[in-house]
Amino acid sequence: MINSRLVSVEERQSILDRIQTAFLIGIYPTSTNDPLMQDLQRLINDATEKVISKKLKTLKANSK
Protein backbone atom coordinates (compact mmCIF):
# COMPACT_ATOMS: atom_id res chain seq x y z
CA MET A 1 0.00 0.00 0.00
CA ILE A 2 1.26 3.45 -0.81
CA ASN A 3 1.32 5.73 2.24
CA SER A 4 3.29 8.69 0.97
CA ARG A 5 2.51 11.06 -1.86
CA LEU A 6 4.66 11.13 -4.97
CA VAL A 7 4.26 14.92 -5.07
CA SER A 8 4.43 17.02 -1.92
CA VAL A 9 1.71 19.57 -1.19
CA GLU A 10 4.16 22.42 -1.78
CA GLU A 11 5.31 20.97 -5.08
CA ARG A 12 1.71 20.32 -6.12
CA GLN A 13 0.82 23.96 -5.49
CA SER A 14 3.84 25.14 -7.47
CA ILE A 15 2.93 22.93 -10.44
CA LEU A 16 -0.69 24.07 -10.39
CA ASP A 17 0.42 27.71 -10.23
CA ARG A 18 2.68 27.21 -13.26
CA ILE A 19 -0.12 25.49 -15.19
CA GLN A 20 -2.52 28.31 -14.38
CA THR A 21 0.04 30.91 -15.41
CA ALA A 22 0.65 29.09 -18.71
CA PHE A 23 -3.08 29.14 -19.46
CA LEU A 24 -3.45 32.80 -18.51
CA ILE A 25 -0.45 33.94 -20.53
CA GLY A 26 -1.22 31.62 -23.43
CA ILE A 27 2.15 29.88 -23.46
CA TYR A 28 1.17 26.25 -23.91
CA PRO A 29 3.49 23.24 -23.86
CA THR A 30 4.16 21.92 -27.35
CA SER A 31 5.28 18.40 -26.45
CA THR A 32 5.08 15.82 -23.70
CA ASN A 33 8.78 16.44 -23.04
CA ASP A 34 8.01 19.94 -21.80
CA PRO A 35 8.80 20.18 -18.05
CA LEU A 36 5.30 21.47 -17.32
CA MET A 37 3.74 18.45 -19.06
CA GLN A 38 6.03 16.11 -17.16
CA ASP A 39 5.02 17.74 -13.87
CA LEU A 40 1.36 17.46 -14.87
CA GLN A 41 1.89 13.75 -15.51
CA ARG A 42 3.41 13.41 -12.04
CA LEU A 43 0.28 15.00 -10.55
CA ILE A 44 -1.92 12.62 -12.53
CA ASN A 45 0.11 9.60 -11.42
CA ASP A 46 -0.02 10.74 -7.80
CA ALA A 47 -3.79 11.19 -7.89
CA THR A 48 -4.28 7.85 -9.65
CA GLU A 49 -2.20 6.00 -7.07
CA LYS A 50 -4.12 7.64 -4.23
CA VAL A 51 -7.47 6.64 -5.76
CA ILE A 52 -6.30 3.06 -6.32
CA SER A 53 -4.93 2.87 -2.79
CA LYS A 54 -8.21 4.13 -1.35
CA LYS A 55 -10.24 1.63 -3.40
CA LEU A 56 -7.96 -1.23 -2.34
CA LYS A 57 -8.42 -0.28 1.31
CA THR A 58 -12.20 -0.24 0.81
CA LEU A 59 -12.15 -3.63 -0.90
CA LYS A 60 -9.96 -5.06 1.84
CA ALA A 61 -12.25 -3.72 4.56
CA ASN A 62 -15.36 -5.08 2.80
CA SER A 63 -13.84 -8.54 2.32
CA LYS A 64 -13.36 -9.11 6.07
Side-chain angles (χ1 to χ4, degrees):
M1 219 43 81
I2 298 170
N3 294 326
S4 62
R5 297 204 69 107
L6 297 174
V7 182
S8 70
V9 174
E10 295 83 8
E11 192 174 9
R12 175 182 307 274
Q13 184 62 46
S14 172
I15 294 168
L16 291 172
D17 286 343
R18 287 188 288 127
I19 291 170
Q20 182 182 35
T21 300
F23 278 119
L24 290 172
I25 295 174
I27 300 173
Y28 305 110
T30 56
S31 77
T32 56
N33 291 327
D34 186 284
L36 189 59
M37 290 300 290
Q38 290 175 351
D39 285 342
L40 176 59
Q41 188 59 50
R42 288 177 55 227
L43 286 179
I44 292 168
N45 290 344
D46 182 58
T48 301
E49 287 193 15
K50 286 307 256 188
V51 167
I52 290 170
S53 177
K54 185 177 180 181
K55 287 184 180 183
L56 286 174
K57 286 179 186 177
T58 302
L59 286 172
K60 203 175 203 182
N62 290 338
S63 67
K64 289 184 179 180

